[in-house]
Amino acid sequence: ESLVTGQVSYELVRPSNLYWFWYIKLAAGKLASSVLRFIPMIIFASLIPGEYGLSAPPSFPAFILFVITLFLGFILSVAILMIVYILLFYTVSSRGLFNIATVITDFFAGGVVPIPFMPLALRTICYALPFRLIMDLPYRIYVGNIGTSEALQSILIQIVWIGITLLIGNVFINRATKRLEVQGG
């Protein structure tokens, strides 16, 4: 919205890094909305009887790994979303870009079809892209589908993808702000 209204010009003159300013702002908004949905969902899922209700992870280490991967997945999802936001510097409308990004992210994160149920070729693509590290990995650790050694390897992969997406985002925003023209005022 700040790109459409021209507010970005005020954000650029502040003595702060625009990427990290937007990143923290976006992370705060995503965290607040997630927590507001998370608490009622956990309560409701805990009240469902039998095998359909929410159960505890298979072990305490699995729970700790779940929390770590969920946190790292959150950082990664915000970094990926920042790249999408930065691409808005080059478009007129955000609607199409967000729709495409949402479909791609949901599909390759296992949100449409669980990754273990996908054909081998699609699973290979999902494992090569960072999206499964946001949603699929933490939840499969929680239910015990992924063991400790694979979880630890996946945490390292998450950290690498976080570094890559943060680097790409910073490079993109530096290039985009050099060519930015704000009209009106």
Side-chain angles (χ1 to χ4, degrees):
E1 187 173 314
S2 68
L3 289 171
V4 174
T5 63
Q7 180 69 26
V8 69
S9 60
Y10 294 113
E11 293 172 355
L12 284 170
V13 297
R14 289 184 179 150
S16 62
N17 183 308
L18 182 62
Y19 180 85
W20 290 109
F21 178 74
W22 280 3
Y23 185 94
I24 297 300
K25 193 173 175 180
L26 181 60
K30 291 290 179 192
L31 185 61
S33 67
S34 296
V35 169
L36 289 174
R37 287 184 301 212
F38 177 76
I39 294 171
M41 191 178 348
I42 293 297
I43 292 170
F44 179 74
S46 299
L47 297 175
I48 298 174
E51 64 187 40
Y52 297 108
L54 181 66
S55 61
S59 66
F60 185 71
F63 176 73
I64 296 299
L65 290 170
F66 163 74
V67 171
I68 292 169
T69 55
L70 191 65
F71 176 73
L72 292 173
F74 173 74
I75 292 171
L76 181 60
S77 71
V78 174
I80 290 171
L81 194 53
M82 279 296 298
I83 293 172
V84 174
Y85 275 38
I86 294 165
L87 291 175
L88 292 176
F89 276 94
Y90 303 103
T91 63
V92 177
S93 172
S94 63
R95 184 176 296 166
L97 187 59
F98 279 126
N99 288 342
I100 291 170
T102 300
V103 168
I104 290 171
T105 303
D106 282 349
F107 183 78
F108 288 111
V112 177
V113 176
I115 293 176
F117 295 156
M118 291 183 179
L120 181 60
L122 278 177
R123 267 186 286 167
T124 303
I125 293 170
C126 289
Y127 273 80
L129 297 173
F131 308 116
R132 77 168 193 89
L133 302 169
I134 296 168
M135 187 169 50
D136 178 67
L137 176 66
Y139 298 131
R140 286 180 57 199
I141 290 172
Y142 186 90
V143 298
N145 190 269
I146 293 179
T148 306
S149 63
E150 186 179 348
L152 292 173
Q153 291 172 352
S154 297
I155 287 172
L156 292 175
I157 294 169
Q158 272 183 314
I159 292 169
V160 168
W161 271 111
I162 288 169
I164 290 169
T165 53
L166 291 175
L167 180 66
I168 289 171
N170 275 294
V171 168
F172 279 9
I173 203 163
N174 287 336
R175 287 185 181 170
T177 54
K178 286 180 184 176
R179 300 178 43 194
L180 179 65
E181 291 181 25
V182 178
Q183 299 179 2

